[in-house]
């Protein structure tokens, strides 16, 4: 997925000399091709992310199309104030790229883990939020972000989970859920985003469940969420993000108003990690590993089955 990101960025920059890449002293190997082919469109702003966001706002005001890259713990979390006031307030066309979201930078501890970035960005007016699951969604997300005339945050989580689509996503429409697997209508459906789509696909194969990918978290079309709710017995959301303010929150906000249905939110509990370790370890600690997720979904399936009623009177 990172290769698809790099390729899309180079392609956009070659086609439009106004495209600029700003990085906070990160991603050197990732941007080797960009620096080689577009050296005059590359800016290393150093370890000064707040200044970098302000610089991008100024460049956007004079006609450039800045893509601002950093770790998700810093872009957007460290720079929320600058994103809100310098970019979003005036609807400037800046694309913010947060890499390593979730527990990707596991060994570096809480300071480098980002499980609140969706919640932070969803609450900023006018800022769209993207969360691609594979290389095809990444390419479509980059094209969408470039084509829009306002600010966009693009979240990159674990990037080596493999494809969830069999081919290119022709066009990413605002807020649309992408159906990636059909399933039984008498069972819950899974709505997942980012790295958790692969987990959802693997579990759905075993339990014969429908799966939708949500590469765009804001806006999220209520029509799509309601349609998914109507063809299933309940909904399960999966995200490598806090259960507060992310995909699960967005889905429950929609269903509570337009299509009441039971929703199971699977994400990071409202607490910090207790220990440091590998990405796989942290998924287990927070109940996001495949086995833990499978158990919760199986229990949810059972809870949705109608209970046998007795006609005997006590």
């Amino acid at each position: 997925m990172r290769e698809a990101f790099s390729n899309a960025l180079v392609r956009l920059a070659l086609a439009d000399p106004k495209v600029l890449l700003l990085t906070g002293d990160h991603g050197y190997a990732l941007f080797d091709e960009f620096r080689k082919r577009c050296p005059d469109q590359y800016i290393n702003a150093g370890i000064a992310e707040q200044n970098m966001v302000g610089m991008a706002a100024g460049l956007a005001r004079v006609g450039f199309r800045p893509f601002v890259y950093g770790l998700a713990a810093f872009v957007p979390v460290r720079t929320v104030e600058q994103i809100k006031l310098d970019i979003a307030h005036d609807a400037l066309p800046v694309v913010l790229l947060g890499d390593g979201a979730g527990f990707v930078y596991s060994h570096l501890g809480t300071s480098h883990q980002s499980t609140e970035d969706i919640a932070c960005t969803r609450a900023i007016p006018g800022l769209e939020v993207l969360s691609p699951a594979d290389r095809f969604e990444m390419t479509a997300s980059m094209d969408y972000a470039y084509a829009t005339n306002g600010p966009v945050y693009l979240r990159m989580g674990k990037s080596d989970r493999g494809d969830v689509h069999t081919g290119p996503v022709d066009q990413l429409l605002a807020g649309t859920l992408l159906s990636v697997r059909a399933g039984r209508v008498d069972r819950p459906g899974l709505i997942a985003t980012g790295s958790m789509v692969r987990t959802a696909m693997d579990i759905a194969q075993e339990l014969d469940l429908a799966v939708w990918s949500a590469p765009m978290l804001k806006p999220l079309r209520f029509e799509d969420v309601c349609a998914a709710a109507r063809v299933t017995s309940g909904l399960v959301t999966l995200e490598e993000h806090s259960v507060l303010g992310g995909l699960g929150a967005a889905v429950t906000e929609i269903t509570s108003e337009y299509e009441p249905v039971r929703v199971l939110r699977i994400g990071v509990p409202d607490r910090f990690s207790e220990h440091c370790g590998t990405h796989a370890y942290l998924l287990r600690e927070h109940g996001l590993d495949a086995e833990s997720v499978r158990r919760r979904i199986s229990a949810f399936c059972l809870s949705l089955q109608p209970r046998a009623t007795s006609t005997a009177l006590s």
Side-chain angles (χ1 to χ4, degrees):
M1 188 164 73
R2 287 165 63 85
E3 182 179 357
F5 161 66
S6 177
N7 291 341
L9 190 59
V10 171
R11 171 171 52 82
L12 293 171
L14 289 173
D16 182 357
K18 294 293 186 179
V19 169
L20 302 178
L21 169 63
L22 287 73
T23 176
D25 211 30
H26 290 116
Y28 290 113
L30 179 62
F31 299 132
D32 281 349
E33 187 69 13
F34 191 97
R35 292 201 307 268
K36 176 182 176 181
R37 303 186 67 180
C38 311
D40 295 333
Q41 294 163 259
Y42 175 83
I43 301 172
N44 186 346
I47 306 175
E49 290 86 1
Q50 291 97 331
N51 292 340
M52 178 170 64
V53 171
M55 184 189 306
L59 290 166
R61 286 187 181 279
V62 295
F64 288 98
R65 295 300 312 273
F67 283 69
V68 181
Y69 176 90
L71 304 191
F74 310 136
V75 178
V77 176
R78 179 178 287 175
T79 58
V80 168
E81 180 184 2
Q82 286 73 30
I83 294 170
K84 171 187 172 181
L85 298 179
D86 296 350
I87 293 175
H89 182 271
D90 292 336
L92 296 177
V94 177
V95 180
L96 303 152
L97 307 161
D99 199 359
F103 295 120
V104 173
Y105 290 99
S106 54
H107 288 99
L108 298 180
T110 298
S111 65
H112 283 62
Q113 296 161 15
S114 181
T115 60
E116 62 285 301
D117 54 311
I118 298 172
C120 291
T121 50
R122 278 187 68 226
I124 297 177
L127 179 63
E128 299 192 28
V129 181
L130 308 180
S131 175
D134 67 2
R135 55 179 172 150
F136 300 117
E137 289 189 8
M138 172 60 77
T139 299
S141 293
M142 287 291 287
D143 289 340
Y144 178 92
Y146 172 75
T148 190
N149 290 319
V152 176
Y153 169 54
L154 194 156
R155 180 185 212 250
M156 291 185 278
K158 190 69 172 169
S159 61
D160 57 357
R161 300 298 310 277
D163 293 337
V164 298
H165 298 278
T166 57
V169 176
D170 293 334
Q171 185 178 11
L172 191 62
L173 300 177
T176 302
L177 294 178
L178 302 179
S179 177
V180 288
R181 189 185 189 281
R184 286 175 51 173
V185 297
D186 61 339
R187 293 184 178 179
L190 312 182
I191 301 178
T193 192
S195 60
M196 293 301 290
V197 178
R198 182 70 264 168
T199 301
M201 291 283 287
D202 293 342
I203 294 172
Q205 184 70 32
E206 300 176 29
L207 302 179
D208 196 14
L209 307 179
V211 181
W212 288 269
S213 176
M216 182 172 290
L217 302 175
K218 182 189 175 187
L220 184 60
R221 282 164 49 97
F222 75 88
E223 298 96 334
D224 281 11
V225 174
C226 292
R230 283 193 291 268
V231 297
T232 58
S233 61
L235 294 175
V236 180
T237 61
L238 299 93
E239 57 193 314
E240 195 174 325
H241 179 275
S242 172
V243 292
L244 305 176
L247 171 64
V251 169
T252 54
E253 288 161 9
I254 291 170
T255 56
S256 66
E257 184 172 357
Y258 296 102
E259 191 74 31
V261 67
R262 284 191 60 188
V263 178
L264 171 65
R265 294 174 299 147
I266 296 179
V268 180
D270 184 27
R271 66 172 179 83
F272 293 109
S273 300
E274 294 181 3
H275 303 287
C276 194
T278 64
H279 181 260
Y281 162 76
L282 285 173
L283 291 183
R284 289 195 301 274
E285 181 184 314
H286 292 278
L288 294 180
D289 60 296
E291 183 54 38
S292 297
V293 173
R294 185 183 297 105
R295 284 198 301 268
R296 292 193 65 188
I297 293 176
S298 296
F300 187 62
C301 289
L302 290 175
S303 74
L304 295 175
Q305 293 179 2
R307 296 182 179 181
T309 57
S310 173
T311 56
L313 297 177
S314 57

